[in-house]
Amino acid sequence: MIFENIFQELAVILAVVTVVGALAMVLRQPLIVAFIAAGILLGPSALGWVSATEPIELLAEMGIALLLFVVGLKLDLQIIRTLGPVALATGLGQVIFTSVIGFLIAIALGMSTVGALYVGVALTFSSTIIIVKLLSDKKEIDALHGRIAVGFLIVQDIVVVLVMIGLTALGVSTEAGVDSETSALVLGIALVVLKGVVMLVAVALLMSYVIPVLSRHLARSTELLVLFAITWAVTLAELGSLMGFSKEVGAFLAGISLASTPFREVIGARLVSLRDFLLLFFFIELGSGLEMATMGAQLGAAALFSAFVLIGNPLIVMIIMGAMGYRKRTGFLAGLTVAQISEFSLILAALGLSLGHLNSDTVGLIALVGLITISVSTYMILYSHQLYEIIAPLLSIFERHHPYRETAYDNEDAGGEGVVVFGMGRYGCGIADELRQRGFSVLSIDIDPEVVRQQSIAGWPSRFGDAEDPEFIASLALSKVKWVVCTARERDINMSLLKSLRKESYKGKVALTAGNRHDARVLEDTDADLVLRPFADAALKAVDWLLAGKGK
């Protein structure tokens, strides 16, 4: 060890990770990639400054436990119930398809049966953290494809926990030396399952009678509530380990037990930063344990598995969603979100290594696939709309002649002299309501199916659609529409809509919306008839009122 103490080592680790993280941000890469890269740089394969030490391992375990706790805390089963068939079908279908094909590829490459099984399963899980972050940054988390993606990510999260429970049970039985006797193996697994049932019942009773009362009492102090949440997560993680499960399973159950309380959003928001900070030590530990020479020898296999994940996973999602009646664009955008493996895949590999099921070479292979797929898929998601425009003609085979799942949201088509408003946020709803009060017929369009449903319930003409989808714009009856108004503040969305309208030879007027002065200047240079600036216009109106002395 080249450092005098652990504090000095941690200071150097954090400094290096900060620099590498800043570089990753410039390259628009997720921090997971930066953390693993920093681990490799600091590990024996490069600088040799970091090796597995007890403090680093402890922080890594805490990070994993909090990760699973937050996942359980945000486990919104309502999303699965709302989207129902598509979330379950795409989630389970993709898991089954990817694991089976991945297993067969691994066997063909000469891997052992157990190693191939781990690799096949590891390829199935997508990163909830990365996908939710990217979709949120693009403001697509509430779009139909975003909701579906979150739905099947929840299904994946449930599956990965079940897999870890099963592997832990198998590991316990094997460590007991009973793997040669089938009956003894079954007995050992049954014993672990029985312990699991006891643990679930105990947690269920606490959820019903203790946690609601206790959480309301502790919520008088937010700091105490968060401290209790961390304590509960760590305690259940250790209890899960003592009962024969992994710490991750116990932490996941701790999160679920608090998910039904009204304080889960507060707890989750306070723990995200702590989770991310502690989790970086897991990825650093993982990266520092990887040998570049070994990973280089596996580059060919990693490239093959990565190509399968980047292409095969989106394909199976598009096939399932197309068969279920969704448009090819929705299937494509949702499919891109599973074009990578996740932090759970790496945790699964680490679990296999600790149980003696895997060797370091297989763990390195899975980590390398993670680095490749996470890096590439990030750009695929960021530029998903541009990618769709390029390959859209090739995707028609993934769409039914009548995509009834999406057209079911439509209440009324555009028709008659009126206005079409894209985006039913507060600004869009305000514009639509005022136009209706002044006698105009307004067709409201939004990418959030829940918003469209609420508009339909209110009796207003509405359609589910995306301003960036040229095919949707072509489906509108625009011949008698006087104005098309886009209330989205993203410049790319406005430009894409304007381009599609001109392509359809729309003769009416177009109003676009700018979020800042620079975008306003760019949009004003187009042939749009009006550029709205919500904040600037409101400020100008407020100043006019102030100077005019308007008031009570």
Side-chain angles (χ1 to χ4, degrees):
M1 183 175 179
I2 64 172
F3 302 104
E4 295 181 1
N5 52 63
I6 187 62
F7 190 88
Q8 190 179 88
E9 183 177 356
L10 287 176
V12 172
I13 290 174
L14 294 176
V16 172
V17 170
T18 301
V19 173
V20 177
L23 179 61
M25 186 173 64
V26 172
L27 299 175
R28 305 191 75 176
Q29 284 295 309
L31 288 180
I32 289 177
V33 174
F35 294 162
I36 298 176
I40 295 174
L41 177 64
L42 292 167
S45 297
L47 299 176
W49 290 355
V50 174
S51 59
T53 60
E54 289 187 4
I56 299 295
E57 292 174 356
L58 175 60
L59 293 172
E61 288 185 355
M62 290 284 290
I64 295 170
L66 281 184
L67 170 65
L68 270 294
F69 175 74
V70 173
V71 169
L73 193 66
K74 295 186 176 182
L75 185 60
D76 191 355
L77 297 178
Q78 179 63 30
I79 294 178
I80 297 179
R81 286 195 294 267
T82 302
L83 297 173
V86 66
L88 290 173
T90 51
L92 295 178
Q94 183 262 321
V95 166
I96 294 171
F97 168 82
T98 305
S99 58
V100 170
I101 303 300
F103 173 79
L104 295 177
I105 293 175
I107 290 294
L109 292 175
M111 297 183 65
S112 66
T113 302
V114 174
L117 181 61
Y118 267 90
V119 170
V121 173
L123 297 180
T124 65
F125 305 122
S126 306
S127 177
T128 302
I129 296 174
I130 294 174
I131 293 170
V132 171
K133 179 69 165 60
L134 291 174
L135 291 178
S136 297
D137 290 346
K138 295 182 69 179
K139 296 180 173 60
E140 295 179 1
I141 197 71
D142 289 323
L144 181 60
H145 68 272
R147 288 175 176 265
I148 293 173
V150 172
F152 58 62
L153 285 171
I154 290 174
V155 173
Q156 287 186 1
D157 289 344
I158 295 173
V159 171
V160 73
V161 172
L162 294 176
V163 168
M164 287 195 293
I165 291 174
L167 290 174
T168 304
L170 184 61
V172 170
S173 300
T174 303
E175 288 175 5
V178 298
D179 55 320
S180 60
E181 299 290 339
T182 304
S183 59
L185 177 60
V186 172
L187 181 62
I189 294 176
L191 181 60
V192 174
V193 171
L194 179 61
K195 291 180 181 179
V197 171
V198 172
M199 189 172 180
L200 287 173
V201 171
V203 171
L205 291 174
L206 290 171
M207 286 175 61
S208 300
Y209 301 106
V210 178
I211 290 177
V213 177
L214 183 60
S215 60
R216 280 196 300 270
H217 177 73
L218 296 175
R220 298 173 183 174
S221 169
T222 304
E223 291 79 5
L224 188 58
L225 180 65
V226 173
L227 177 60
F228 162 71
I230 297 173
T231 303
W232 182 236
V234 174
T235 301
L236 235 63
E238 180 59 24
L239 181 62
S241 178
L242 293 174
M243 294 189 70
F245 302 102
S246 63
K247 291 182 175 64
E248 293 82 2
V249 173
F252 181 76
L253 289 177
I256 292 177
S257 68
L258 292 176
S260 59
T261 68
F263 313 109
R264 71 171 191 171
E265 297 298 336
V266 174
I267 295 172
R270 291 295 184 96
L271 288 183
V272 165
S273 297
L274 178 61
R275 175 205 66 188
D276 292 344
F277 174 73
L278 293 175
L279 200 58
L280 76 86
F281 291 100
F282 167 75
F283 294 112
I284 290 173
E285 183 187 29
L286 178 68
S288 65
L290 299 176
E291 297 182 7
M292 294 302 296
T294 302
M295 293 178 67
Q298 296 175 327
L299 192 58
L304 179 60
F305 284 120
S306 298
F308 168 62
V309 171
L310 292 167
I311 299 173
N313 281 358
L315 279 176
I316 188 60
V317 170
M318 284 190 286
I319 290 171
I320 294 173
M321 291 184 62
M324 297 184 70
Y326 288 89
R327 291 191 177 105
K328 61 183 181 181
R329 189 173 187 273
T330 304
F332 176 78
L333 295 178
L336 287 186
T337 63
V338 295
Q340 87 284 116
I341 67 174
S342 77
E343 62 279 359
F344 282 124
S345 304
L346 304 178
I347 292 171
L348 183 69
L351 177 62
L353 182 64
S354 67
L355 294 174
H357 297 166
L358 297 181
N359 55 36
S360 58
D361 290 348
T362 305
V363 175
L365 172 62
I366 294 174
L368 186 56
V369 173
L371 288 171
I372 295 172
T373 57
I374 291 173
S375 301
V376 175
S377 68
T378 297
Y379 292 106
M380 292 169 64
I381 296 173
L382 287 174
Y383 300 102
S384 57
H385 299 283
Q386 293 89 330
L387 281 174
Y388 176 79
E389 290 182 7
I390 295 172
I391 65 176
L394 304 176
L395 303 179
S396 297
I397 58 173
F398 299 108
E399 181 178 274
R400 285 190 173 192
H401 179 68
H402 176 58
Y404 64 92
R405 294 277 182 178
E406 295 191 35
T407 55
Y409 294 109
D410 299 344
N411 180 34
E412 184 178 318
D413 214 335
E417 293 189 358
V419 181
V420 176
V421 179
F422 283 87
M424 285 292 105
R426 285 181 295 179
Y427 188 54
C429 283
I431 291 175
D433 290 343
E434 188 64 30
L435 286 170
R436 289 179 180 126
Q437 290 179 18
R438 300 191 184 193
F440 288 88
S441 61
V442 179
L443 173 66
S444 58
I445 299 174
D446 202 276
I447 59 173
D448 186 343
E450 183 61 26
V451 171
V452 177
R453 188 178 71 86
Q454 292 297 331
Q455 289 283 309
S456 297
I457 291 174
W460 300 124
S462 58
R463 286 195 64 177
F464 169 79
D466 192 338
E468 291 187 278
D469 185 356
E471 295 181 11
F472 174 75
I473 305 302
S475 72
L476 296 172
L478 297 169
S479 58
K480 295 183 179 181
V481 173
K482 287 186 176 182
W483 278 94
V484 172
V485 182
C486 179
T487 65
R489 298 186 183 94
E490 290 75 25
R491 185 178 66 187
D492 292 343
I493 296 177
N494 285 272
M495 297 291 285
S496 178
L497 173 61
L498 183 62
K499 178 182 177 182
S500 298
L501 291 171
R502 298 314 180 209
K503 183 179 178 182
E504 296 302 319
S505 301
Y506 169 63
K507 303 301 183 183
K509 295 184 177 182
V510 181
L512 306 178
T513 301
N516 53 62
R517 291 182 180 179
H518 175 70
D519 288 350
R521 287 194 294 268
V522 172
L523 295 177
E524 286 168 352
D525 289 337
T526 67
D527 58 350
D529 299 279
L530 177 65
V531 176
L532 303 171
R533 300 176 299 166
F535 299 115
D537 294 343
L540 181 62
K541 190 68 174 178
V543 171
D544 289 342
W545 283 345
L546 289 170
L547 296 179
K550 286 191 175 184
K552 291 185 178 179

